[in-house]
Amino acid sequence: MMEHVFVVTGASRGIGAATAVLAAQAGYRVVRASRSAEESVGDRGWDARCDVSSWDSVQDLMSRVESRWGRIDVVFANAGVSVDTSFVTDAGAKPSEWTDMVVTNVCGPAFTARAAMPALIRSGGHLVMTGSAAGRGVRPGNLYSATKWAITGLAQAIRAEAVATGVRVTVVQPGLVDTDAIPASRVDDPKLAPEDVGRAVLYAVSQPSTVDVNEILLRPTGQAAHR
């Protein structure tokens, strides 16, 4: 019997890197995909270069993984970026710099899902997507928050279409996580460790095949609901 395969995008750091470690500890063969990866493949671990903003790049990744390792069981569409934005002032990134964030955060997971779905249907697998607590409420002037609203809708749309396929779909919505993307205004706020989010992902994918965990919302103890 072939060993189960777990693909993580955005795996070079933060939530993706932590989840990849936990998946390996749980016995998966793990593909750690990122834009910056130096291609290296072993028996149980694979560092793969992939730009999720490119359909061709994502499609090529899934094809290579299934061809080499025979199956894909879990795909964690985690890659994302964040820039500060404002719609009424010059604060934050210029509008010309917003496109990469929107394409990476919205088209990236959509491309990943579409490229992975044939393999996941064959394996009866699991698609997990990184949303955010910021995507559950209004954040003034925050385009990043809007991209995470989109992920919640995207996960629901994929699950609705895939309901008869056996593929499970989960969106994980963390609050503030201790990564290098923390805004300066929030450095002193309570934070989750990347491993906290990784454990939530592993919880969802470790459930029996009859259980579909659709959403997980987790915040660090002490974080206000509106943050």
Side-chain angles (χ1 to χ4, degrees):
M1 181 178 179
M2 290 184 291
E3 293 177 283
H4 287 190
V5 177
F6 197 124
V7 178
V8 183
T9 69
S12 62
R13 57 187 178 180
I15 293 170
T19 304
V21 170
L22 292 169
Q25 292 173 352
Y28 288 94
R29 285 180 164 183
V30 180
V31 180
R32 300 174 292 265
S34 68
R35 290 179 179 178
S36 60
E38 294 292 333
E39 282 281 341
S40 175
V41 60
D43 181 55
R44 303 196 59 78
W46 184 345
D47 293 312
R49 181 167 294 178
C50 179
D51 179 357
V52 300
S53 68
S54 163
W55 161 248
D56 289 342
S57 181
V58 179
Q59 186 180 41
D60 177 68
L61 172 68
M62 299 303 168
S63 176
R64 288 191 293 141
V65 171
E66 195 176 25
S67 177
R68 178 180 285 270
W69 279 350
R71 61 189 296 148
I72 298 173
D73 298 275
V74 181
V75 173
F76 183 24
N78 168 72
V81 296
S82 175
V83 298
D84 292 334
T85 58
S86 171
F87 297 98
V88 298
T89 74
D90 291 331
K94 297 177 181 178
S96 59
E97 300 170 0
W98 298 356
T99 302
D100 180 63
M101 178 176 68
V102 174
V103 173
T104 300
N105 291 6
V106 181
C107 290
F111 291 161
T112 301
R114 179 62 185 86
M117 194 58 70
L120 292 177
I121 290 173
R122 284 189 282 272
S123 68
H126 202 137
L127 174 68
V128 184
M129 313 179 90
T130 299
S132 173
R136 297 175 63 94
V138 175
R139 304 292 190 271
N142 193 318
L143 182 57
Y144 170 81
S145 172
T147 68
K148 293 303 183 179
W149 276 73
I151 293 305
T152 298
L154 179 61
Q156 292 176 356
I158 294 168
R159 180 182 179 276
E161 186 178 17
V163 70
T165 67
V167 175
R168 297 181 289 173
V169 181
T170 301
V171 59
V172 177
Q173 301 170 320
L176 188 64
V177 180
D178 192 5
T179 69
D180 58 7
I182 295 175
S185 62
R186 302 194 64 188
V187 293
D188 295 326
D189 288 359
K191 305 173 191 68
L192 295 165
E195 292 78 10
D196 297 329
V197 185
R199 283 190 291 271
V201 174
L202 268 293
Y203 165 80
V205 303
S206 67
Q207 298 306 300
S209 61
T210 53
V211 178
D212 189 0
V213 179
N214 299 154
E215 283 189 56
I216 299 178
L217 170 64
L218 65 159
R219 295 187 178 96
T221 301
Q223 179 179 324
H226 67 281
R227 296 304 301 270

